[in-house]
């Protein structure tokens, strides 16, 4: 799972395998090697993957537009349940007013 500041992201989000030599500045880390890992991209480049996220898209105090990704490498059978659970927790404990959900299948 990863959460990102949507206001720092540009254009459409894509999940793809990072190319050889790809890295970004990680949260609390210097250059994180992400080559060949499933990685989230926007128009500005890579910003997140299942093991380490970039500083560029990290949530800052006062942020109001957040996107949370649940990575599933075992199908989508229970994703709807977990997305509902996540939305419920965000509303109950974080003051979220509106939560949208989508399941995107990637072969």
């Amino acid at each position: 799972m990863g959460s990102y500041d949507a206001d720092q992201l540009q254009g459409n989000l894509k999940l793809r395998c990072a190319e050889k030599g790809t890295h970004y500045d990680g949260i609390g880390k210097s250059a994180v090697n992400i080559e060949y890992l499933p990685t989230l991209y926007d128009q500005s480049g890579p910003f997140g993957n299942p093991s380490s996220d970039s500083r560029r898209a990290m949530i800052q105090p006062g942020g109001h537009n957040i996107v949370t990704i649940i990575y599933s490498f075992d199908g989508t059978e229970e994703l709807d349940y977990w997305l509902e659970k996540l939305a419920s927790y965000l509303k109950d404990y974080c003051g979220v007013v509106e939560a949208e959900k989508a399941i995107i299948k990637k072969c």
Side-chain angles (χ1 to χ4, degrees):
M1 180 184 295
S3 293
Y4 310 97
D5 184 343
D7 293 332
Q8 301 304 312
L9 302 175
Q10 325 262 299
N12 294 326
L13 307 184
K14 296 179 182 178
L15 177 67
R16 66 178 203 228
C17 206
E19 297 175 357
K20 182 178 181 177
T22 306
H23 67 279
Y24 51 60
D25 290 335
I27 299 172
K29 305 171 187 173
S30 57
V32 176
N33 180 4
I34 58 170
E35 67 181 11
Y36 307 121
L37 293 176
T39 302
L40 290 167
Y41 283 78
D42 70 353
Q43 278 182 303
S44 298
F47 66 88
N49 74 62
S51 63
S52 184
D53 298 318
S54 75
R55 263 190 268 162
R56 175 172 70 89
M58 72 182 197
I59 298 169
Q60 300 290 330
H64 297 285
N65 296 308
I66 297 167
V67 60
T68 297
I69 307 290
I70 297 176
Y71 298 95
S72 174
F73 298 103
D74 194 26
T76 60
E77 187 175 311
E78 296 182 21
L79 274 180
D80 193 57
Y81 169 80
W82 290 110
L83 289 170
E84 286 294 329
K85 199 76 152 157
L86 174 62
S88 173
Y89 288 154
L90 290 171
K91 289 176 183 176
D92 292 347
Y93 301 108
C94 300
V96 168
V97 176
E98 182 181 346
E100 297 177 31
K101 67 177 183 164
I103 295 175
I104 302 166
K105 296 180 183 181
K106 177 85 174 160
C107 296

